[in-house]
Amino acid sequence: MALPRLRDLLGEGGFVVSAWLGLTDPVVHEAFLRADFDAVTFDVQHGLHDTASLRAGIERAVLLGKPALVRLPIEDRALAARVLDFGASAVMMPMIETADDAAAFVAVAKYPPLGQRSYGPTRAGELHGYADRADYVSDARKEALAFAMIETGAAVDNLDAILAVEGLDGVFVGPSDLSIALSGDGTLEPRGSKAEGAIKRIAAATAAAGKIATIYAATPEDAKRYRQYGYRMVCVGSDQGMVVAGARALAEGVRG
């Protein structure tokens, strides 16, 4: 066992479907890990996770054979390095707006010479089965991925410069925040023409830069559409949303 070859799954023609986990319950995590998802993404920015739930969730994902990705809180670069040491396969940093932002993120997510990630992957090495930690370090340079979240007007304006940052593996688009930022009046309209146009442009620019475009999709229909645009990974729905919808549907089914 070694770090999952997430980059290969995301390669040309590849398409990865990730669950989106904001709840901390291990039974919920296991349900999604045993479902037909290629990966799981733990949402720290808006989810309920703390360090303990992230550690346990990442362990569970690794032991059940799925890559674990983490959406970090804004500017929490220290946590980026820590969850990689827990065994995560990728990290996503919100609100990246400039090449300098992206470079600061890469610095903590990548080992030298690409970045300045501090050495200490004891748990990651154990979980992924590395008898020699030097082999983990070598693999992590390529296989521990860093995605800059593109969700503001400034990020769209600076997209080419962000994509040019060495060591950045790709971008992750947040359609909701992007739509609010581009609307001019704060309107939430992730399927509106402005957001859709930007989502298409981001996919094309990322492909042209030789990097990986990924995105959040609220529904399976959105996910299929984004795949047509060239996105290679979608994080679809959410555990909390599915629990709420399932509970309502069950109650309505009995009373209807």
Side-chain angles (χ1 to χ4, degrees), residues 95 119 221:
M95 295 293 173
Y119 175 80
E221 292 73 27

Side-chain angles (χ1 to χ4, degrees), residues 22-48:
L23 301 176
T24 63
D25 190 281
V27 176
V28 172
H29 296 173
E30 187 172 331
F32 282 86
L33 283 162
R34 293 190 183 279
D36 191 20
F37 290 98
D38 302 301
V40 294
T41 300
F42 296 98
D43 178 21
V44 189
Q45 184 186 8
H46 295 301
L48 303 179

Side-chain angles (χ1 to χ4, degrees), residues 155-177:
V156 174
D157 290 342
N158 295 322
L159 181 60
D160 289 341
I162 291 169
L163 288 167
V165 172
E166 186 179 7
L168 187 72
D169 298 290
V171 299
F172 180 78
V173 178
S176 293
D177 276 319

Side-chain angles (χ1 to χ4, degrees), residues 123-205:
R123 186 57 177 148
E126 292 172 352
L127 277 175
H128 292 294
Y130 287 92
D132 186 339
R133 297 293 188 266
D135 292 336
Y136 170 83
V137 172
S138 178
D139 281 356
R141 286 192 185 96
K142 180 180 180 183
E143 300 298 340
L145 307 183
F147 295 103
M149 286 196 66
I150 304 299
E151 48 191 343
T152 68
V156 174
D157 290 342
N158 295 322
L159 181 60
D160 289 341
I162 291 169
L163 288 167
V165 172
E166 186 179 7
L168 187 72
D169 298 290
V171 299
F172 180 78
V173 178
S176 293
D177 276 319
L178 186 62
S179 74
I180 292 171
L182 297 180
S183 68
D185 60 4
T187 299
L188 173 64
E189 195 176 8
R191 299 180 187 87
S193 59
K194 289 183 179 179
E196 281 286 299
I199 287 167
K200 290 178 181 178
R201 292 197 303 275
I202 293 166

Side-chain angles (χ1 to χ4, degrees), residues 197-250:
I199 287 167
K200 290 178 181 178
R201 292 197 303 275
I202 293 166
T206 304
K211 298 197 174 181
I212 303 164
T214 67
I215 192 168
Y216 176 82
T219 68
E221 292 73 27
D222 290 337
K224 292 174 183 177
R225 187 172 71 258
Y226 296 150
R227 182 179 188 179
Q228 292 176 349
Y229 296 165
Y231 286 88
R232 297 186 187 176
M233 182 181 78
V234 293
C235 297
V236 61
S238 73
D239 52 355
Q240 184 169 346
M242 291 188 67
V243 170
V244 170
R248 289 176 176 170
L250 181 62

Side-chain angles (χ1 to χ4, degrees), residues 72-138:
L72 302 157
I74 297 171
E75 294 186 354
D76 196 340
R77 290 181 286 276
L79 186 61
R82 196 164 189 200
V83 297
L84 292 171
D85 284 345
F86 289 170
S89 290
V91 284
M92 307 163 175
M93 181 64 77
M95 295 293 173
I96 296 290
E97 293 194 302
T98 67
D100 286 344
D101 291 342
F105 171 41
V106 168
V108 296
K110 297 286 186 175
Y111 286 120
L114 292 173
Q116 298 173 335
R117 178 181 168 187
S118 179
Y119 175 80
T122 302
R123 186 57 177 148
E126 292 172 352
L127 277 175
H128 292 294
Y130 287 92
D132 186 339
R133 297 293 188 266
D135 292 336
Y136 170 83
V137 172
S138 178

